[in-house]
Amino acid sequence: MTLQTIDNILRKTYMPLMTVVCLGLLCGHVVPIVSSFTIFHLCLAITVVLALLFRARPPRMFYIVAFYFLLYGVWTWVASMLWGDHVTAKETLKFFSIPVLVIALLRVMLVSPRKMLDVLFYVSVTYLLTMVVMGCVGHFTGLHLSTSASYMAPNEELHRATGLCYNPNDYSVLLVMAALYIFAYSSQFLPKRWIVLGFAAIGVCIPLLLWNDCKTGLGVSALAVLYYFFSKIKNHKVSVAIIIAAVVASVTAIVYNHGILGARFNIYGASITSLYDSYGIGFGINGDMNYLSNLNNYNISQGLTNAHSYLLQILYTSGLPIFLLYCIMMVWIMRCSSQNGRDLFWLSPILYLLMLFCPSSSLYLWGHYVFFCAYVCYAAFALDHKKQTQ
């Protein structure tokens, strides 16, 4: 069988294959198959094989994003070597699964960005419905998978919604990301009357977020809905000003009403001071955990030893250069997305980063990389659509 024949077969089975892979990444990071193998490892292997077999040349966007993640992986590993032997070979291999996953997943997704956006819509709908049902069962009955932190937990924690995730925060992150994708897709690719599907997706999340006391998820969902309505205003400066005011008001309310967040803000501040101690290059793999543990200052961390932000975790682990490159890349993705108008997909990378302030560490929350790749796919689609209409 020639490579051309394999490529033709893969193109015909593209949508079902990618549906299985993406659902597996969203659902499988805590569901064991045998021994130490997980659905994640299986999906990673499938994705890598598919990436190697597809012959179509990806767009330039793939090479830019792939270069960042490759540099991110190598830089962080080198930083780990410079700062001692606190990182094991097993942790290093686990960390390198991140750039491999993102690069391989993007390689396959960008074969056909428009088709992939459709695939991710069906994946998001399936995942959202499944997690809402599991979340309601967990909340009302207290029944959880043995891999959940709420399994056999004290009564107060027993009625949290966790679904297939380990804890309520991880569950809330992936739940809201799926709902936001449905919302963005409905507003962009479906007939106008189908926007009700997007509002329904956000709506079914609200009770679960309230039960889990996920203020980040509630705030991000509210911002998405506000932006949708105010984006209809022709004067973009007015809509942007309103959104900024809403963000400032939300953050202010949280700071004044929830003193428990003080520890988080101290950790966010420590991410800046860590740059001085690491000379701006970061402390490598698990850098946030090691740095906060070595501080041995309860007034700063109050027992928390993770960055509680994917964005700031990069400061701890990979230093200022990689952090700046990540920010530049995200802004560039948004700029490319804006070629098709400043719709919800244009705002999605910001909402994505805000949601990743919710879990203690999202580094190995594999599902969120699926949505990152989705936003890259939309940016590639927007650029291609603009070329075709010119």
Side-chain angles (χ1 to χ4, degrees):
M1 187 179 288
T2 64
L3 289 176
Q4 184 63 50
T5 305
I6 294 173
D7 189 65
N8 291 334
I9 293 172
L10 290 175
R11 286 179 178 277
K12 290 177 181 178
T13 58
Y14 181 76
M15 294 185 75
L17 274 173
M18 292 311 298
T19 299
V20 170
V21 168
C22 292
L23 267 178
L25 290 169
L26 284 170
C27 298
H29 61 283
V30 295
V31 182
I33 300 177
V34 261
S35 185
S36 60
F37 291 97
T38 63
I39 292 177
F40 164 72
H41 296 119
L42 179 61
C43 290
L44 178 59
I46 293 172
T47 308
V48 170
V49 171
L50 290 176
L52 293 173
L53 290 177
F54 269 115
R55 300 186 67 199
R57 186 174 180 178
R60 186 185 64 171
M61 180 170 289
F62 165 76
Y63 297 102
I64 294 172
V65 179
F67 171 77
Y68 165 78
F69 276 93
L70 185 61
L71 179 64
Y72 162 66
V74 173
W75 180 291
T76 309
W77 174 72
V78 171
S80 301
M81 298 300 102
L82 292 175
W83 291 108
D85 55 356
H86 62 270
V87 179
T88 65
K90 184 178 179 180
E91 288 174 329
T92 302
L93 288 173
K94 186 179 179 183
F95 173 79
F96 269 100
S97 65
I98 296 169
V100 171
L101 170 66
V102 176
I103 292 170
L105 197 58
L106 269 180
R107 172 67 182 92
V108 181
M109 284 184 170
L110 290 175
V111 168
S112 180
R114 182 63 186 89
K115 281 186 180 179
M116 197 61 228
L117 293 172
D118 294 337
V119 169
L120 289 168
F121 171 71
Y122 297 118
V123 166
S124 296
V125 170
T126 304
Y127 180 79
L128 182 70
L129 292 175
T130 304
M131 290 304 101
V132 166
V133 171
M134 291 189 69
C136 289
V137 170
H139 173 74
F140 288 113
T141 68
L143 297 175
H144 298 274
L145 296 174
S146 59
T147 48
S148 168
S150 295
Y151 181 75
M152 300 296 289
N155 189 58
E156 183 181 349
E157 296 295 323
L158 191 62
H159 295 280
R160 293 291 186 96
T162 58
L164 290 170
C165 293
Y166 176 72
N167 60 45
N169 283 339
D170 293 351
Y171 169 86
S172 300
V173 167
L174 296 180
L175 188 77
V176 172
M177 284 187 179
L180 291 175
Y181 185 85
I182 295 169
F183 192 22
Y185 184 93
S186 301
S187 66
Q188 181 69 20
F189 296 111
L190 297 181
K192 286 186 178 180
R193 65 180 181 276
W194 282 98
I195 190 60
V196 67
L197 183 62
F199 285 111
I202 297 290
V204 296
C205 294
I206 302 303
L208 293 155
L209 296 174
L210 289 171
W211 296 336
N212 284 346
D213 194 29
C214 182
K215 302 175 186 68
T216 306
L218 290 168
V220 169
S221 300
L223 282 175
V225 173
L226 280 173
Y227 184 82
Y228 172 77
F229 284 113
F230 289 116
S231 64
K232 303 301 179 184
I233 300 174
K234 291 184 178 180
N235 189 334
H236 289 300
K237 291 181 180 179
V238 174
S239 60
V240 170
I242 293 172
I243 292 298
I244 291 174
V247 172
V248 172
S250 299
V251 172
T252 303
I254 290 172
V255 171
Y256 278 100
N257 293 325
H258 302 281
I260 191 173
L261 292 178
R264 285 202 177 194
F265 283 107
N266 287 338
I267 288 175
Y268 299 156
S271 68
I272 305 299
T273 59
S274 73
L275 292 175
Y276 294 98
D277 295 330
S278 70
Y279 303 102
I281 64 173
F283 286 103
I285 301 165
N286 290 336
D288 55 329
M289 185 180 296
N290 288 286
Y291 181 76
L292 292 170
S293 298
N294 291 333
L295 280 179
N296 196 25
N297 189 337
Y298 187 82
N299 293 327
I300 292 178
S301 64
Q302 296 182 24
L304 302 178
T305 56
N306 288 108
H308 285 77
S309 164
Y310 180 75
L311 189 62
L312 297 182
Q313 198 165 19
I314 295 174
L315 281 179
Y316 282 108
T317 62
S318 311
L320 188 60
I322 301 298
F323 172 83
L324 292 176
L325 282 175
Y326 184 80
C327 293
I328 292 169
M329 180 180 68
M330 294 301 279
V331 171
W332 177 69
I333 290 170
M334 291 181 67
R335 186 175 178 225
C336 294
S337 299
S338 69
Q339 303 301 311
N340 208 34
R342 294 192 176 182
D343 49 30
L344 279 167
F345 270 114
W346 173 81
L347 185 69
S348 289
I350 292 178
L351 301 178
Y352 165 82
L353 289 176
L354 288 175
M355 275 310 303
L356 291 181
F357 274 81
C358 183
S360 57
S361 175
S362 49
L363 199 65
Y364 302 119
L365 184 62
W366 314 114
H368 80 80
Y369 296 110
V370 173
F371 293 105
F372 168 80
C373 292
Y375 306 139
V376 176
C377 271
Y378 181 79
F381 160 76
L383 286 176
D384 186 56
H385 181 71
K386 183 182 178 183
K387 289 179 182 178
Q388 290 179 3
T389 54
Q390 284 180 343

